[in-house]
Amino acid sequence: MVKKRKRILSGMRPTGKTHLGHLHGILENWRDLQDEYECFYFAADWHALTSEYKNTAVIKESLTEMIIDWLSVGLDPQRSTLFVQSWVKEHAELHLLLSMITPLSWLERNPTYKEQQEELADKDIGTYGFLGYPVLQAADILIYKGDYVPVGKDQLPHLEITREIARRFNYLYQETFPPPEALLTDVPNLGGTDGRKMSKSYDNAIFISDPADMLALKIEQMVTDPQRGYRKDPGDPDVCGLFPYHRIYSDSDVVAEIDTECRRAGIGCKDCKQMLLKKLEAYLAPIQEKRQHYLTHLAEVDEIIHEGTRRAQEVARQTMVEVREAIGM
Ligand code: TRP
Ligand code: SF4
């Protein structure tokens, strides 16, 4: 008998352009997982709405572009199911049903709830919908009975709530949902141009769609070792915001050379940045070429999303039949 491949499920919120943090922290990982798993990847537009409900235009603008970015990076619609959360209404029904059995205390003590409230202080997210964010996420995952969920560390509390909800459902009604496991992704430590965490709200992100002149400008502005005021001052790659990028884009012998030369002022930041820029451009070129293709063939993208949604819906509908039966409604 052919062993069934384990199922992966993950989502991303369409709240802006894709940056290098998304690319190396999430998307390349999603791409590689396709070789081993049956993958479901979706645009979590309802999750985006929890924080962007006053500015819904950004969701619409980012949605198609985000999926174009996925395709350009190598997510393969033949092998993976790519879809939009809000097009599969069953997520909403399961969210509602799971909300009946989810104790408020689980949501109130969720650490990301408090963190996000502070981080997004400019947005009013003291809403019912935002509190229920992890319940909706649980519905997303459980409706496909995902075995693994690739996520960054910040999402672990959400996954734990998903597991608790699954266990509670199974206990109250019938064994229905296998509690999914997190697949922790190794996120490279790529800071933004100002040295802080890369984020669109800090205006320090490098986007995969940035044209060559924009890339040049951003790399030029990038914060390096602050102790290195002059060319003759030795530097320390360990505290330089640029060096982690070399680790990704440059060959290992070059990385080692920069590491040594920087420490004895054998190389200047200007040259170091030029070297990086060349590598980054070369890395992004094929991705940007594919983006251009999809941007000018939107009907093709549309068809991919529709087909993915059809496939997702088939699974979601089947699960909901089981769920209603288990609950007895
Ligand atoms: N909360 C996730 C994030 O911000 C997005 C998300 C929504 C998700 N539903 C999901 C991730 C289900 C994994 C599985 O990154
Ligand atoms: Fe950073 Fe390179 Fe300058 Fe060293 S030479 S501080 S690694 S940019």
Side-chain angles (χ1 to χ4, degrees), residues 177-278:
F177 299 122
E181 271 171 56
L183 258 188
L184 258 198
T185 49
D186 220 355
V187 181
N189 184 22
L190 294 183
T193 49
D194 59 358
R196 293 192 288 173
K197 181 181 175 223
M198 192 180 288
S199 160
K200 73 170 163 71
S201 39
Y202 293 157
D203 198 20
N204 65 359
I206 301 174
F207 299 110
I208 70 173
S209 54
D210 279 343
D213 53 346
M214 184 62 87
L215 291 176
L217 185 71
K218 287 181 176 175
I219 295 298
E220 190 197 308
Q221 289 170 341
M222 196 121 158
V223 176
T224 63
D225 177 357
Q227 300 297 327
R228 238 196 136 176
Y230 296 98
R231 169 70 179 78
K232 63 177 182 5
D233 297 336
D236 180 0
D238 295 336
V239 299
C240 171
L242 193 93
F243 191 62
Y245 286 84
H246 272 297
R247 284 195 194 283
I248 292 190
Y249 302 112
S250 298
D251 301 329
S252 56
D253 50 335
V254 175
V255 175
E257 192 183 322
I258 292 172
D259 197 1
T260 316
E261 293 305 319
C262 171
R263 290 175 202 278
R264 58 173 192 202
I267 180 177
C269 294
K270 240 180 151 166
D271 294 329
C272 193
K273 287 181 168 181
Q274 272 312 315
M275 288 163 69
L276 179 73
L277 182 61
K278 285 227 161 55

Side-chain angles (χ1 to χ4, degrees), residues 40 59 67 71 74 100 119 192 200 202 231 234 254 264 270 274 277 287 297 304 309 315:
F40 284 70
I59 302 176
I67 292 181
L71 295 167
M100 304 300 169
E119 206 170 302
K200 73 170 163 71
Y202 293 157
R231 169 70 179 78
V254 175
R264 58 173 192 202
K270 240 180 151 166
Q274 272 312 315
L277 182 61
I287 296 175
H297 294 79
I304 287 170
T309 302
V315 181

